[in-house]
Amino acid sequence: MSASLPARNLVLFNYDWDRIGFGRWFDGFPQDSIGFDLFSFPSNAHLAFFDMERMVERLAARAGRAGWRAVISNHEQFGALAAALLAERMGWPGTPVDAVLACQHKLHAREVLQRVAPEANASFAPLAARYGDPAPDGLDYPLFVKPVKAAFSVLARRVESRAELHALTRFGVGELWVIRHLVEPFERVARKRLPQAGTAHRMLIERPVDGQQYNLDGYVFGGELRDLGIVESVMYPGTQAFMRFDYPSRIDARVRLQALDVARRFLAAVGYSHGMFNMEFFHDPASGKLTVIEFNPRMAAQFSDLYLRVEGVDLHRVALELAHGRDPALLPRTVPVAGAASSLVYRLFDPTLRPPMPQPERQREFARRFPDALLFTFPKPRGSMARDYKWLGSYRYGIVHLGGRDAYDLRRRCEEASRLLGWPAPYASCDSVVPNGWKGPRPVPQLSMDTT
């Protein structure tokens, strides 16, 4: 590579929080972004032709001319594995490919956890049925069902009966096409590098777990695990749909140490020697039991802004340092601007309704009154909304990030911001009536696992 070329960074599938987070550091870390958006048309049409291994080979051939010296991605479906493959191919710092595969193959991850931390595992088994086949007899309900390889909570659902299980796993021709194209790029790599895990084209069943849900965020450098913090997940009452992500969490310090111990054992077992991670888990304060939901082999990019506001730690800068093989512990912290921060998730549970999207004038007023806020809107046509209801159980139409002096000030600001947007504040109970005549989601019996 010519010495005159500046060192550049390749960011794969760079959208939403990542576009903002990595954009903060563009001057010091010039970046090129490659990868399509799974959630917008026509960008997601690239799914029809996507081949991860071919993409990596093409990127490797371009790396010298482009001046790339590092690759990074927080994209769960394709990016994290593609970045690991390219880093390995180029000899750049990166998370080991086999460790990424072990985390993302949810059945294999459960089997590893059963060996190294059985006390933190949920009861599990592969679902003995192909997509569309009748649900097998003899299962003990309720169950939590999810794909062996998926992201964004797609098709992860609690089912109360054989009929519900069968309905969840019956798909039309178009749905099957999407599912197979989402899983097959991972499957082709896993068949070669993790054959003992078996196919990812199937579902996993687990025993539902009670407790409050949390996210342990951290990284591994030089084989040493460093924790960054724990974000608390708050669900819409009676559902498994995220309503807020709050930082700092209210978790007890002893539980944090317990979570770190489990993370160390699991990540060491799968050879996770470098890179950021996010461990989702439940903790039941009554029994003291901690149950791992899953390990994500990348940063939870949605939380980066929360840590920056409250701790003065920018997770995107941490990720960039790791991509260059440098120790993030040496980074200085900025002055915190909030005592509490939340990622506020706005959802609709009634397929017959459409949420009001703030028009440009209202968005400008929102930006004027809340200059520190981040606002994301996700308008969709009815067809895409219908798929969200089947695959996710709700339609996420907006996200707002805010900070406050403390949790009380944060809630006050959230309620004011929500009124301005014409959206119900994500603090209301299920029974409350919210603007535009909407009612909160109908309660279901028990919270169960959800995935990021």
Side-chain angles (χ1 to χ4, degrees):
M1 182 175 63
S2 172
S4 62
L5 281 175
R8 297 187 66 82
N9 301 271
L10 176 60
V11 184
L12 301 180
F13 300 91
N14 188 25
Y15 295 97
D16 297 330
W17 298 280
D18 283 325
R19 186 175 63 249
I20 295 170
F22 289 127
R24 288 193 290 266
W25 299 99
F26 190 89
D27 289 344
F29 295 84
Q31 302 147 24
D32 295 314
S33 298
I34 292 176
F36 55 92
D37 185 356
L38 278 172
F39 298 103
S40 67
F41 182 83
S43 181
N44 53 11
H46 287 85
L47 183 63
F49 313 104
F50 181 66
D51 184 300
M52 188 180 299
E53 293 170 300
R54 185 167 63 232
M55 174 189 183
V56 168
E57 286 304 311
R58 289 175 176 172
L59 293 174
R62 289 178 54 188
R65 297 191 304 275
W68 297 328
R69 298 286 186 86
V71 61
I72 189 169
S73 182
N74 296 315
H75 186 264
E76 177 69 15
Q77 191 63 38
F78 298 138
L81 180 55
L85 286 164
L86 182 59
E88 179 185 78
R89 174 80 165 71
M90 300 303 298
W92 297 336
T95 303
V97 172
D98 292 356
V100 174
L101 291 168
C103 292
Q104 291 189 332
H105 194 294
K106 292 178 171 47
L107 176 58
H108 179 75
R110 285 275 177 224
E111 291 169 342
V112 172
L113 193 63
Q114 188 61 28
R115 293 199 302 270
V116 300
E119 77 284 0
N121 209 5
S123 299
F124 68 98
L127 179 63
R130 296 178 300 177
Y131 295 137
D133 284 355
D137 295 321
L139 297 178
D140 183 20
Y141 298 91
L143 294 169
F144 192 82
V145 186
K146 62 185 178 184
V148 165
K149 173 65 178 81
F152 312 110
S153 304
V154 169
L155 295 174
R157 193 79 51 82
R158 177 190 170 107
V159 294
E160 303 291 333
S161 66
R162 185 175 184 271
E164 285 190 21
L165 175 57
H166 183 56
L168 178 65
T169 55
R170 285 188 67 83
F171 306 107
V173 173
E175 290 176 313
L176 280 173
W177 184 93
V178 171
I179 291 169
R180 294 195 181 282
H181 279 73
L182 286 172
V183 176
E184 187 58 27
F186 174 88
E187 176 81 351
R188 284 195 288 268
V189 179
R191 277 198 301 262
K192 299 173 185 176
R193 302 287 295 260
L194 198 70
Q196 67 272 28
T199 181
H201 285 295
R202 53 181 167 168
M203 304 285 279
L204 173 66
I205 55 176
E206 299 172 345
R207 183 63 53 203
V209 177
D210 288 320
Q212 175 61 46
Q213 186 166 337
Y214 299 94
N215 298 267
L216 169 66
D217 298 298
Y219 64 92
V220 181
F221 181 79
E224 179 185 343
L225 185 149
R226 285 89 173 271
D227 76 303
L228 293 163
I230 293 182
V231 173
E232 186 165 342
S233 303
V234 183
M235 306 297 185
Y236 277 90
T239 80
Q240 60 188 54
F242 295 118
M243 182 168 68
R244 297 193 316 277
F245 297 98
D246 293 342
Y247 188 81
S249 71
R250 298 166 294 176
I251 198 165
D252 186 273
R254 290 171 296 181
V255 182
R256 182 170 180 162
L257 293 175
Q258 186 181 358
L260 284 167
D261 177 59
V262 171
R264 284 192 182 94
R265 282 183 276 163
F266 175 86
L267 293 174
V270 300
Y272 207 104
S273 57
H274 187 88
M276 300 192 74
F277 72 91
N278 165 263
M279 181 184 93
E280 299 177 60
F281 66 95
F282 282 119
H283 180 257
D284 183 355
S287 66
K289 180 172 174 56
L290 182 150
T291 305
V292 170
I293 299 171
E294 63 187 19
F295 283 87
N296 299 304
R298 40 79 186 168
M299 178 212 307
Q302 189 169 351
F303 303 158
S304 179
D305 175 64
L306 308 185
Y307 284 98
L308 182 58
R309 292 171 188 263
V310 178
E311 302 287 355
V313 175
D314 191 328
L315 268 59
H316 281 88
R317 178 62 188 274
V318 170
L320 286 164
E321 292 295 311
L322 287 169
H324 286 271
R326 298 193 290 261
D327 188 353
L330 303 177
L331 289 172
R333 297 192 177 203
T334 61
V335 177
V337 297
S342 285
S343 178
L344 306 153
V345 186
Y346 297 81
R347 296 183 185 272
L348 194 59
F349 292 82
D350 186 342
T352 66
L353 300 177
R354 293 181 68 86
M357 287 295 168
Q359 297 304 305
E361 182 178 349
R362 183 166 288 198
Q363 292 195 37
R364 287 192 292 270
E365 177 64 12
F366 178 85
R368 185 188 69 81
R369 291 172 56 180
F370 297 93
D372 65 311
L374 296 179
L375 170 64
F376 299 91
T377 61
F378 307 102
K380 290 187 176 183
R382 285 199 178 274
S384 296
M385 288 172 58
R387 180 174 294 167
D388 281 2
Y389 282 113
K390 177 172 181 179
W391 288 22
L392 301 171
S394 65
Y395 164 37
R396 184 191 67 173
Y397 59 87
I399 291 178
V400 170
H401 282 204
L402 278 176
R405 293 187 302 273
D406 51 33
Y408 300 101
D409 182 53
L410 176 59
R411 176 167 182 167
R412 178 192 61 77
R413 299 190 77 218
C414 167
E415 291 171 345
E416 183 181 347
S418 299
R419 282 193 298 270
L420 177 58
L421 294 169
W423 295 348
Y427 283 90
S429 70
C430 279
D431 298 327
S432 64
V433 177
V434 296
N436 302 310
W438 302 353
K439 289 184 180 291
R442 287 189 297 270
V444 294
Q446 180 185 359
L447 295 183
S448 188
M449 292 188 180
D450 194 8
T451 54
T452 299

